[in-house]
Protein backbone atom coordinates (compact mmCIF):
# COMPACT_ATOMS: atom_id res chain seq x y z
CA UNK A 1 0.00 0.00 0.00
CA UNK A 2 1.43 3.41 -0.97
CA UNK A 3 1.47 6.43 1.30
CA UNK A 4 -1.29 8.09 -0.67
CA UNK A 5 -3.60 5.10 -0.23
CA UNK A 6 -2.90 5.21 3.52
CA UNK A 7 -3.91 8.86 3.45
CA UNK A 8 -7.04 8.11 1.47
CA UNK A 9 -7.96 5.45 3.99
CA UNK A 10 -7.36 7.87 6.88
CA UNK A 11 -9.56 10.47 5.20
CA UNK A 12 -12.48 8.08 4.88
CA UNK A 13 -12.44 7.00 8.53
CA UNK A 14 -15.40 8.47 10.40
CA UNK A 15 -15.66 7.92 14.14
CA UNK A 16 -18.87 8.72 15.99
CA UNK A 17 -19.35 8.91 19.77
CA UNK A 18 -22.86 8.37 21.14
CA UNK A 19 -23.46 9.68 24.67
CA UNK A 20 -26.53 7.79 25.85
CA UNK A 21 -28.66 8.98 28.77
CA UNK A 22 -31.93 7.32 29.79
CA UNK A 23 -34.60 9.89 30.71
CA UNK A 24 -35.12 10.87 27.06
CA UNK A 25 -35.37 7.29 25.76
CA UNK A 26 -38.49 6.03 23.98
CA UNK A 27 -41.31 5.29 26.45
CA UNK A 28 -39.50 6.48 29.60
CA UNK A 29 -41.71 8.67 31.83
CA UNK A 30 -41.19 7.63 35.47
CA UNK A 31 -38.26 7.74 37.90
CA UNK A 32 -38.78 3.96 38.30
CA UNK A 33 -38.20 3.51 34.56
CA UNK A 34 -34.62 4.73 35.04
CA UNK A 35 -33.87 3.37 38.55
CA UNK A 36 -31.29 0.58 38.18
CA UNK A 37 -32.63 -2.71 39.52
CA UNK A 38 -36.32 -1.83 39.37
CA UNK A 39 -38.63 -4.06 37.31
CA UNK A 40 -39.57 -1.11 35.08
CA UNK A 41 -35.86 -0.34 34.47
CA UNK A 42 -35.35 -3.96 33.36
CA UNK A 43 -37.78 -3.29 30.54
CA UNK A 44 -36.74 0.25 29.65
CA UNK A 45 -33.05 -0.65 29.46
CA UNK A 46 -33.98 -2.81 26.44
CA UNK A 47 -35.65 0.24 24.86
CA UNK A 48 -32.47 2.21 25.61
CA UNK A 49 -30.48 -0.44 23.74
CA UNK A 50 -32.81 -0.29 20.76
CA UNK A 51 -32.80 3.55 20.57
CA UNK A 52 -28.97 3.35 20.56
CA UNK A 53 -28.98 0.58 17.96
CA UNK A 54 -31.20 2.65 15.68
CA UNK A 55 -28.61 5.44 15.83
CA UNK A 56 -25.74 2.99 15.29
CA UNK A 57 -27.52 1.58 12.25
CA UNK A 58 -28.07 5.03 10.78
CA UNK A 59 -24.48 6.13 11.33
CA UNK A 60 -23.00 3.00 9.74
CA UNK A 61 -25.48 3.42 6.89
CA UNK A 62 -24.03 6.87 6.24
CA UNK A 63 -20.31 6.08 6.24
CA UNK A 64 -19.30 5.74 9.89
CA UNK A 65 -16.39 3.36 10.32
CA UNK A 66 -16.40 3.32 14.12
CA UNK A 67 -19.17 4.00 16.64
CA UNK A 68 -18.43 4.11 20.37
CA UNK A 69 -21.32 4.36 22.83
CA UNK A 70 -20.75 5.89 26.27
CA UNK A 71 -23.21 4.95 29.01
CA UNK A 72 -24.22 8.26 30.60
CA UNK A 73 -26.98 7.34 33.06
CA UNK A 74 -26.81 6.57 36.81
CA UNK A 75 -24.46 3.63 37.42
CA UNK A 76 -23.53 3.63 33.71
CA UNK A 77 -24.50 -0.04 33.59
CA UNK A 78 -27.84 0.01 31.85
CA UNK A 79 -27.53 -1.40 28.34
CA UNK A 80 -27.44 -5.23 28.17
CA UNK A 81 -24.27 -5.78 26.13
CA UNK A 82 -25.72 -8.74 24.22
CA UNK A 83 -28.40 -6.42 22.80
CA UNK A 84 -25.89 -3.90 21.39
CA UNK A 85 -25.35 -3.77 17.62
CA UNK A 86 -22.21 -5.85 17.10
CA UNK A 87 -20.55 -3.11 15.04
CA UNK A 88 -20.44 -0.72 18.03
CA UNK A 89 -18.54 -0.80 21.32
CA UNK A 90 -19.81 0.29 24.75
CA UNK A 91 -18.06 2.16 27.57
CA UNK A 92 -19.59 0.56 30.68
CA UNK A 93 -19.03 1.70 34.24
CA UNK A 94 -18.76 4.75 36.44
CA UNK A 95 -15.90 6.96 37.75
CA UNK A 96 -15.07 8.31 34.33
CA UNK A 97 -13.17 11.60 34.36
CA UNK A 98 -15.38 13.05 31.64
CA UNK A 99 -18.55 11.35 32.84
CA UNK A 100 -21.26 11.61 30.20
CA UNK A 101 -18.62 12.58 27.63
CA UNK A 102 -16.05 9.87 28.26
CA UNK A 103 -14.54 8.86 24.94
CA UNK A 104 -14.54 12.37 23.45
CA UNK A 105 -11.29 13.58 21.94
CA UNK A 106 -10.11 15.35 18.83
CA UNK A 107 -10.13 12.05 16.93
CA UNK A 108 -13.93 11.85 17.09
CA UNK A 109 -15.61 13.26 13.97
CA UNK A 110 -19.13 13.66 15.35
CA UNK A 111 -21.02 13.22 18.61
CA UNK A 112 -24.68 12.31 19.17
CA UNK A 113 -26.77 12.67 22.33
CA UNK A 114 -29.37 9.88 22.63
CA UNK A 115 -32.02 9.86 25.38
CA UNK A 116 -31.25 13.35 26.68
CA UNK A 117 -33.62 15.56 28.70
CA UNK A 118 -34.25 19.11 29.85
CA UNK A 119 -32.49 20.72 32.82
CA UNK A 120 -33.68 21.17 36.40
CA UNK A 121 -36.35 23.78 36.96
CA UNK A 122 -37.59 23.54 33.37
CA UNK A 123 -40.61 21.69 32.02
CA UNK A 124 -39.70 18.33 30.48
CA UNK A 125 -39.99 14.61 31.11
CA UNK A 126 -37.82 13.77 34.16
CA UNK A 127 -36.13 17.17 33.82
CA UNK A 128 -33.07 17.57 36.06
CA UNK A 129 -29.40 18.48 35.91
CA UNK A 130 -27.19 15.69 37.22
CA UNK A 131 -28.56 15.47 40.79
CA UNK A 132 -32.34 15.55 40.58
CA UNK A 133 -33.34 17.14 43.89
CA UNK A 134 -30.11 18.86 44.95
CA UNK A 135 -29.09 21.03 41.98
CA UNK A 136 -31.73 23.65 41.21
CA UNK A 137 -29.98 25.60 38.49
CA UNK A 138 -26.74 25.77 36.50
CA UNK A 139 -25.50 28.73 34.48
CA UNK A 140 -22.41 28.84 32.28
CA UNK A 141 -21.23 32.37 31.52
CA UNK A 142 -24.65 33.59 32.63
CA UNK A 143 -26.68 31.32 30.33
CA UNK A 144 -28.82 28.30 31.35
CA UNK A 145 -26.79 25.12 30.92
CA UNK A 146 -28.40 21.70 31.04
CA UNK A 147 -26.46 18.46 30.51
CA UNK A 148 -26.72 18.61 26.73
CA UNK A 149 -25.58 22.22 26.55
CA UNK A 150 -22.51 21.70 28.72
CA UNK A 151 -21.54 18.46 26.95
CA UNK A 152 -21.88 20.17 23.54
CA UNK A 153 -19.61 23.00 24.75
CA UNK A 154 -16.94 20.43 25.65
CA UNK A 155 -17.29 18.70 22.28
CA UNK A 156 -17.03 22.04 20.45
CA UNK A 157 -13.86 22.91 22.35
CA UNK A 158 -12.31 19.71 20.96
CA UNK A 159 -13.58 20.54 17.45
CA UNK A 160 -16.30 17.87 17.50
CA UNK A 161 -19.79 18.87 16.28
CA UNK A 162 -23.05 17.61 17.79
CA UNK A 163 -24.87 16.00 14.86
CA UNK A 164 -27.95 14.41 16.50
CA UNK A 165 -30.06 14.82 19.64
CA UNK A 166 -32.96 12.61 20.77
CA UNK A 167 -35.39 13.18 23.63
CA UNK A 168 -38.80 14.68 24.35
CA UNK A 169 -40.22 17.60 22.39
CA UNK A 170 -39.13 20.22 24.94
CA UNK A 171 -35.55 18.97 25.17
CA UNK A 172 -35.35 18.96 21.37
CA UNK A 173 -36.74 22.51 21.24
CA UNK A 174 -34.14 23.61 23.77
CA UNK A 175 -31.33 21.93 21.79
CA UNK A 176 -32.45 23.75 18.65
CA UNK A 177 -31.32 26.96 20.36
CA UNK A 178 -27.69 25.89 20.95
CA UNK A 179 -27.22 23.22 18.27
CA UNK A 180 -29.39 24.38 15.36
CA UNK A 181 -27.54 22.28 12.79
CA UNK A 182 -27.99 19.00 14.69
CA UNK A 183 -30.68 16.52 13.66
CA UNK A 184 -33.32 16.28 16.38
CA UNK A 185 -35.65 13.35 17.03
CA UNK A 186 -38.74 13.79 19.24
CA UNK A 187 -39.58 10.37 20.72
CA UNK A 188 -42.34 11.64 23.08
CA UNK A 189 -44.36 14.75 23.83
CA UNK A 190 -44.10 16.08 27.37
CA UNK A 191 -47.42 16.37 29.20
CA UNK A 192 -45.85 16.75 32.63
CA UNK A 193 -42.54 15.94 34.32
CA UNK A 194 -43.75 12.35 34.83
CA UNK A 195 -46.16 12.01 31.90
CA UNK A 196 -45.67 11.92 28.14
CA UNK A 197 -47.46 11.01 24.95
CA UNK A 198 -45.07 8.35 23.63
CA UNK A 199 -44.44 6.98 20.17
CA UNK A 200 -43.85 3.22 20.11
CA UNK A 201 -40.35 1.92 19.37
CA UNK A 202 -41.35 0.77 15.89
CA UNK A 203 -41.90 4.45 15.03
CA UNK A 204 -39.07 6.10 16.96
CA UNK A 205 -36.42 3.67 15.78
CA UNK A 206 -37.09 4.47 12.16
CA UNK A 207 -37.02 8.21 13.00
CA UNK A 208 -33.71 7.86 14.87
CA UNK A 209 -32.13 5.65 12.17
CA UNK A 210 -33.11 8.06 9.39
CA UNK A 211 -31.92 11.12 11.37
CA UNK A 212 -28.55 9.48 12.11
CA UNK A 213 -28.14 8.70 8.44
CA UNK A 214 -28.89 12.32 7.46
CA UNK A 215 -26.64 13.63 10.25
CA UNK A 216 -23.44 12.21 8.79
CA UNK A 217 -24.29 13.18 5.22
CA UNK A 218 -23.42 16.78 6.02
CA UNK A 219 -21.41 17.19 9.23
CA UNK A 220 -21.83 20.79 10.44
CA UNK A 221 -18.95 23.13 11.18
CA UNK A 222 -18.27 23.70 14.85
CA UNK A 223 -16.96 26.79 16.62
CA UNK A 224 -15.60 26.70 20.14
CA UNK A 225 -17.10 29.18 22.61
CA UNK A 226 -14.66 31.81 23.89
CA UNK A 227 -13.10 30.92 27.23
CA UNK A 228 -12.96 31.19 30.22
CA UNK A 229 -16.00 29.33 31.52
CA UNK A 230 -17.77 30.45 34.69
CA UNK A 231 -20.17 27.96 36.25
CA UNK A 232 -22.76 29.19 38.74
CA UNK A 233 -24.55 26.35 40.57
CA UNK A 234 -27.57 26.81 42.85
CA UNK A 235 -28.51 24.10 45.35
CA UNK A 236 -31.73 23.34 47.24
CA UNK A 237 -30.02 23.69 50.64
CA UNK A 238 -27.14 25.52 52.30
CA UNK A 239 -25.05 22.52 53.40
CA UNK A 240 -24.20 21.74 49.74
CA UNK A 241 -22.35 25.08 49.68
CA UNK A 242 -20.15 24.04 52.60
CA UNK A 243 -19.52 20.66 51.01
CA UNK A 244 -18.57 21.96 47.56
CA UNK A 245 -16.45 24.95 48.58
CA UNK A 246 -13.88 22.46 49.90
CA UNK A 247 -12.79 22.29 46.25
CA UNK A 248 -10.09 24.93 45.61
CA UNK A 249 -11.45 27.66 43.35
CA UNK A 250 -15.11 26.98 44.15
CA UNK A 251 -16.48 30.04 45.98
CA UNK A 252 -19.79 30.80 47.70
CA UNK A 253 -21.79 33.45 45.82
CA UNK A 254 -25.08 33.44 47.78
CA UNK A 255 -26.69 31.48 50.62
CA UNK A 256 -27.28 28.47 48.33
CA UNK A 257 -24.99 29.11 45.34
CA UNK A 258 -21.36 28.58 44.37
CA UNK A 259 -19.30 29.59 41.35
CA UNK A 260 -15.99 28.72 39.76
CA UNK A 261 -14.11 29.84 36.65
CA UNK A 262 -11.73 27.74 34.59
CA UNK A 263 -9.97 28.41 31.28
CA UNK A 264 -11.29 25.36 29.40
CA UNK A 265 -14.47 23.24 29.35
CA UNK A 266 -12.24 20.18 29.80
CA UNK A 267 -11.33 21.52 33.24
CA UNK A 268 -14.71 23.11 33.98
CA UNK A 269 -16.78 20.00 33.30
CA UNK A 270 -14.49 17.95 35.56
CA UNK A 271 -14.82 20.53 38.34
CA UNK A 272 -18.62 20.48 37.91
CA UNK A 273 -18.54 16.69 38.24
CA UNK A 274 -16.67 17.07 41.54
CA UNK A 275 -19.16 19.76 42.69
CA UNK A 276 -22.18 17.61 41.84
CA UNK A 277 -20.67 14.50 43.46
CA UNK A 278 -19.94 16.34 46.72
CA UNK A 279 -23.34 18.06 46.69
CA UNK A 280 -25.05 14.69 46.32
CA UNK A 281 -22.92 13.18 49.09
CA UNK A 282 -23.85 16.04 51.44
CA UNK A 283 -27.59 15.27 51.24
CA UNK A 284 -29.20 13.27 54.07
CA UNK A 285 -31.82 10.61 53.24
CA UNK A 286 -35.35 12.02 53.62
CA UNK A 287 -34.09 15.44 54.86
CA UNK A 288 -32.08 16.46 51.81
ZN1 LIG B 1 -29.17 13.01 32.44
Amino acid sequence: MTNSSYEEEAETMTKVLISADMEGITGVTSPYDVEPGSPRWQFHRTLMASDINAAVEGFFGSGATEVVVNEAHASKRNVPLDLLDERASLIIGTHKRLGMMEGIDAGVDAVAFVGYHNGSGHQGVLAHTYIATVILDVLINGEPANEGRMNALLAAELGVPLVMFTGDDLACADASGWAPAAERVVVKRCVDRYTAECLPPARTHELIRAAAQRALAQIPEVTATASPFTYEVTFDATHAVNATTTIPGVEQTSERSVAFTLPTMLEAIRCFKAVSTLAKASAEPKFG
Side-chain angles (χ1 to χ4, degrees), residues 21 23 117 128 147:
D21 206 350
E23 288 84 355
H117 52 84
H128 70 285
E147 295 168 14

Side-chain angles (χ1 to χ4, degrees), residues 21-23 72-74 100 115-118 126 128-130 147:
D21 206 350
M22 196 164 186
E23 288 84 355
H73 174 72
M100 300 179 79
Y116 269 48
H117 52 84
N118 250 351
L126 298 174
H128 70 285
T129 304
Y130 275 73
E147 295 168 14

Side-chain angles (χ1 to χ4, degrees), residues 77-99:
R77 302 179 190 280
N78 305 284
V79 177
L81 187 57
D82 60 341
L83 297 187
L84 185 72
D85 186 308
E86 64 186 28
R87 293 168 293 182
S89 60
L90 183 64
I91 302 173
I92 303 171
T94 188
H95 307 308
K96 299 178 279 200
R97 284 202 321 156
L98 295 179

Side-chain angles (χ1 to χ4, degrees), residues 13-17 66 103-110 158-160:
M13 300 289 279
T14 302
K15 180 177 179 179
V16 179
L17 175 70
E66 183 178 0
I104 192 80
D105 59 38
V108 173
D109 297 288
L158 295 167
V160 182

Side-chain angles (χ1 to χ4, degrees), residues 127-188:
H128 70 285
T129 304
Y130 275 73
I131 314 300
T133 55
V134 174
I135 294 177
L136 296 187
D137 202 14
V138 180
L139 302 176
I140 298 179
N141 294 349
E143 293 185 8
N146 53 31
E147 295 168 14
R149 177 72 178 125
M150 64 179 83
N151 292 343
L153 284 171
L154 173 63
E157 180 174 280
L158 295 167
V160 182
L162 176 67
V163 297
M164 189 177 77
F165 182 103
T166 81
D168 72 18
D169 57 334
L170 301 179
C172 285
D174 179 73
S176 72
W178 44 264
E183 292 284 338
R184 294 177 298 279
V185 182
V186 174
V187 301
K188 54 197 167 191

Side-chain angles (χ1 to χ4, degrees), residues 21-40:
D21 206 350
M22 196 164 186
E23 288 84 355
I25 290 294
T26 297
V28 166
T29 59
S30 156
Y32 297 105
D33 296 347
V34 298
E35 181 63 38
S38 83
R40 294 191 62 85

